[in-house]
């Protein structure tokens, strides 16, 4: 039996791409995941037992996990969330009240501190600032202005007059005298120093300097000629010495190069021998160990680990389906045992009983309670009216009856309109106001029979 899979057919590569070299037999890459049997016979041999064992181990864990999840959701929906809402409903107003109280206290404290700051600021200004400001404004500034005016009158004005009428003319005279003295001194300097010095330079110093310069140029030419000959001799001697040294250095370099090549050849041969020995002693055994021992063992461990991981994932998914089926079965069993009987009892027993209790007990009791409430309200209203009448009688006995206003007579309905009379009839009798209605009398009220216009006056 061939324990290794045959290599997959080589896929065509685009032009210009260099094909990768063929790997050695022990390091062939694993087959892709789409292959029906990845990893060869080893994976096929360990896949089913590993999946069975892992499934048996994972199913209880998955069912326990699902049970914990369902229990947590149930507790969250039934206990924790309503309890949290109740806590929020209880403690949120307390927190808001505490925040409002703290905010009010902080506001009052801020107001107090602000008022205290204003008071301290005003006190500090009153004690420290305003006295100095008043001293500066009403004492120092006027005194300074008076002293400035006095100094201007006593010092500046006399100094200006002295400068304009005394010092300025004296200074102009001194300047004129100094200018004349300077002109005389300059003429004397030119006649006594400058003119003799110029004659001495032109007649004596210039010819003497020219002779000295001619002699110096001749001396320099001789020195240049002598140094040129000396340099030519030194150059010829240095060239001969350089040629000899060059020949000697070329011979020495040739010998040193020959010796260096021999030494390099020996060192290279020795390094090759040592490298070959090290390769056969260390590298070749390590490569063989990696190629024939570690790589196959690693591939086997990788196949086993991959199969265990895939088995865990597969077992976890299958355990989820099993747990779902078991949960549905238990839910349906719970529904058949508890929910359906309770629902039947609620629909068939408690609902008719509740309707009977509502129609036979609660509604008559509610009607009787409403009747008692109406009777109580009527009794309370009559009691309030009696108390009000009693208070009115007591007030009337103590303070007397109040003056009742005269009510305004109300005209009754008429069958047909009455024509308007322009003249106020004499002897018209005004009807007495109705005292029982407690309406104020309408004295001087305008009617159709009592007009006050200019056209209808008597």
């Amino acid at each position: 039996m061939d324990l290794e899979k045959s290599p997959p057919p080589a896929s065509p590569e685009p032009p210009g791409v260099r094909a990768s070299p063929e790997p050695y037999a022990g390091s062939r890459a694993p087959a892709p995941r789409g292959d029906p049997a990845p990893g060869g016979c080893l994976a096929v041999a360990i896949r089913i037992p590993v999946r069975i064992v892992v499934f048996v181990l994972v199913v209880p864990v998955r069912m326990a996990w699902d049970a914990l999840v369902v229990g947590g959701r149930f507790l969250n929906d039934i206990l924790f969330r309503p309890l949290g809402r109740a806590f929020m409903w209880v403690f949120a107003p307390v927190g808001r009240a505490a925040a409002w109280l703290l905010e009010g206290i902080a506001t009052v404290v801020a107001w107090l501190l602000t008022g205290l700051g204003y008071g301290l600021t005003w006190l500090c200004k009153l004690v420290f600032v305003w006295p100095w400001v008043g001293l500066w404004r009403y004492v120092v500034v006027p005194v300074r202005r008076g002293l400035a005016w006095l100094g201007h009158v006593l010092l500046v004005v006399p100094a200006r007059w002295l400068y304009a009428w005394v010092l300025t003319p004296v200074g102009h005279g001194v300047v004129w005298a100094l200018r004349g003295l300077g002109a005389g001194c300059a003429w004397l300097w030119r006649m006594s120093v400058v003119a003799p010095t110029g004659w001495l330079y032109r007649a004596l110093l210039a010819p003497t300097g020219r002779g000295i310069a001619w002699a110096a140029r001749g001396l320099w030419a001789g020195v240049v000629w002598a140094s040129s000959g000396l340099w030519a001799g030194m150059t010829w001697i240095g060239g001969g010495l350089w040629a000899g040294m060059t020949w000697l250095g070329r011979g020495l370099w040739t010998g040193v190069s020959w010796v260096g090549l021999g030494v390099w050849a020996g060192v290279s041969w020795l390094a090759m021998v040592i490298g070959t020995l090290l390769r056969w002693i260390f590298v070749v055994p390590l490569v063989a160990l990696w190629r024939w021992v570690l790589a196959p063992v690693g591939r086997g461990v990788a196949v086993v680990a991959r199969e265990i991981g895939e088995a865990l994932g597969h077992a976890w998914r299958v355990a989820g389906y099993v747990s779902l089926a078991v949960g549905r079965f238990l839910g349906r069993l719970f529904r058949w045992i508890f929910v359906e009987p309770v629902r039947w009892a609620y629909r068939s027993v408690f609902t008719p009983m509740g309707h009977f209790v509502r129609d036979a007990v609660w509604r008559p009791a509610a009607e009787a309670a409403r009747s008692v409430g109406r009777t109580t309200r009527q009794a309370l209203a009559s009691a309030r009216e009696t108390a009000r009448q009693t208070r009115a009688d007591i007030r009337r006995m103590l303070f007397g009856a109040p003056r009742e206003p005269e009510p305004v007579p109300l005209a009754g309905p008429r069958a047909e309109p009455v024509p308007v009379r322009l003249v106020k009839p004499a002897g018209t009798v005004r009807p007495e106001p109705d005292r029982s209605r407690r309406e104020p009398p309408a004295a001087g009220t305008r009617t159709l029979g009592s007009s006050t216009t200019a056209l209808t006056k008597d």
Side-chain angles (χ1 to χ4, degrees):
M1 179 184 293
D2 189 7
L3 297 179
E4 294 182 352
K5 295 178 60 180
S6 60
S11 59
E13 297 181 353
V17 178
R18 184 179 178 182
S20 60
E22 179 67 18
Y24 51 86
S27 63
R28 186 174 291 113
R33 297 296 298 274
D35 199 329
C41 297
L42 180 62
V44 175
I46 68 174
R47 180 174 298 144
I48 302 301
V50 168
R51 289 193 176 185
I52 293 174
V53 173
V54 170
F55 178 74
V56 172
L57 295 176
V58 167
V59 167
V61 178
R62 181 60 186 263
M63 294 184 67
W65 174 258
D66 292 339
L68 291 175
V69 170
V70 172
R73 290 178 180 175
F74 178 77
L75 290 177
N76 183 37
D77 296 336
I78 300 301
L79 180 61
F80 297 135
R81 186 177 297 172
L83 188 61
R85 290 177 179 175
F87 281 156
M88 289 299 297
W89 181 77
V90 171
F91 291 108
V94 176
R96 286 193 293 269
W100 176 81
L101 182 61
L102 292 177
E103 185 178 359
I105 293 173
T107 304
V108 172
V109 171
W111 288 349
L112 293 176
L113 293 178
T114 304
L116 183 61
Y118 287 157
L120 290 177
T121 302
W122 181 82
L123 184 60
C124 291
K125 286 183 179 180
L126 180 63
V127 174
F128 297 103
V129 178
W130 291 342
W132 295 105
V133 170
L135 180 63
W136 171 263
R137 183 176 298 175
Y138 300 107
V139 177
V140 176
V141 173
V143 170
R144 180 180 62 84
R145 290 178 180 176
L147 292 177
W149 178 81
L150 187 61
H152 179 76
V153 171
L154 295 178
L155 297 177
V156 176
V157 173
R160 285 182 179 179
W161 181 85
L162 181 64
Y163 175 78
W165 299 101
V166 176
L167 297 180
T168 301
V170 172
H172 290 173
V174 171
V175 168
W176 180 80
L178 290 176
R179 283 180 181 177
L181 181 61
C185 292
W187 179 82
L188 183 62
W189 173 262
R190 285 195 302 271
M191 295 305 294
S192 61
V193 176
V194 175
T197 303
W199 178 81
L200 180 64
Y201 175 78
R202 288 192 301 270
L204 181 62
L205 296 179
T208 304
R210 292 189 186 97
I212 294 172
W214 180 81
R217 281 197 297 270
L219 181 61
W220 177 255
V223 171
V224 168
W225 179 79
S227 58
S228 298
L230 183 62
W231 178 255
M234 292 176 65
T235 302
W236 181 80
I237 295 173
L241 292 175
W242 178 255
M245 292 176 64
T246 302
W247 178 81
L248 183 61
R250 188 180 296 113
L252 290 175
W253 177 255
T254 303
V256 170
S257 300
W258 182 80
V259 173
L261 290 176
V263 173
W264 177 255
V267 171
S268 300
W269 180 81
L270 183 61
M272 183 179 63
V273 171
I274 294 174
T276 304
L277 291 177
L278 292 176
R279 181 171 178 270
W280 285 102
I281 293 173
F282 296 103
V283 178
V284 173
L286 290 176
V287 170
L289 177 64
W290 170 262
R291 182 177 296 176
W292 303 108
V293 178
L294 296 180
V297 172
R299 285 196 297 273
V301 172
V303 170
V304 173
R306 185 180 67 247
E307 291 300 330
I308 291 174
E310 293 180 356
L312 285 173
H314 182 73
W316 186 262
R317 291 190 295 272
V318 174
Y321 290 115
V322 172
S323 176
L324 180 62
V326 172
R328 288 179 178 177
F329 172 73
L330 293 177
R332 186 162 297 180
L333 185 63
F334 179 77
R335 180 180 178 183
W336 290 344
I337 295 175
F338 295 100
V339 177
E340 292 297 336
V342 171
R343 181 182 296 177
W344 176 84
Y346 177 77
R347 290 180 178 178
S348 303
V349 179
F350 295 107
T351 300
M353 186 181 299
H355 291 174
F356 174 75
V357 170
R358 182 190 61 188
D359 297 335
V361 178
W362 289 113
R363 285 184 178 176
E367 186 64 30
R370 283 194 291 271
S371 300
V372 171
R374 285 194 296 269
T375 304
T376 304
R377 285 193 297 272
Q378 292 175 0
L380 291 176
S382 61
R384 284 195 297 269
E385 184 65 23
T386 303
R388 188 177 64 82
Q389 293 294 337
T390 304
R391 287 197 303 271
D393 294 338
I394 294 172
R395 190 184 302 111
R396 190 180 298 110
M397 286 188 301
L398 293 176
F399 303 103
R403 182 178 180 181
E404 296 182 357
E406 297 181 357
V408 179
L410 299 177
R414 298 177 181 178
E416 56 183 7
V418 178
V420 178
R421 301 181 65 180
L422 298 179
V423 180
K424 184 176 179 181
T428 304
V429 179
R430 180 174 298 175
E432 292 293 330
D434 189 6
R435 303 293 182 177
S436 62
R437 298 175 63 90
R438 294 187 177 182
E439 294 180 355
T445 304
R446 294 184 180 181
T447 60
L448 293 177
S450 59
S451 177
T452 57
T453 58
L455 298 177
T456 58
K457 287 185 177 179
D458 294 337

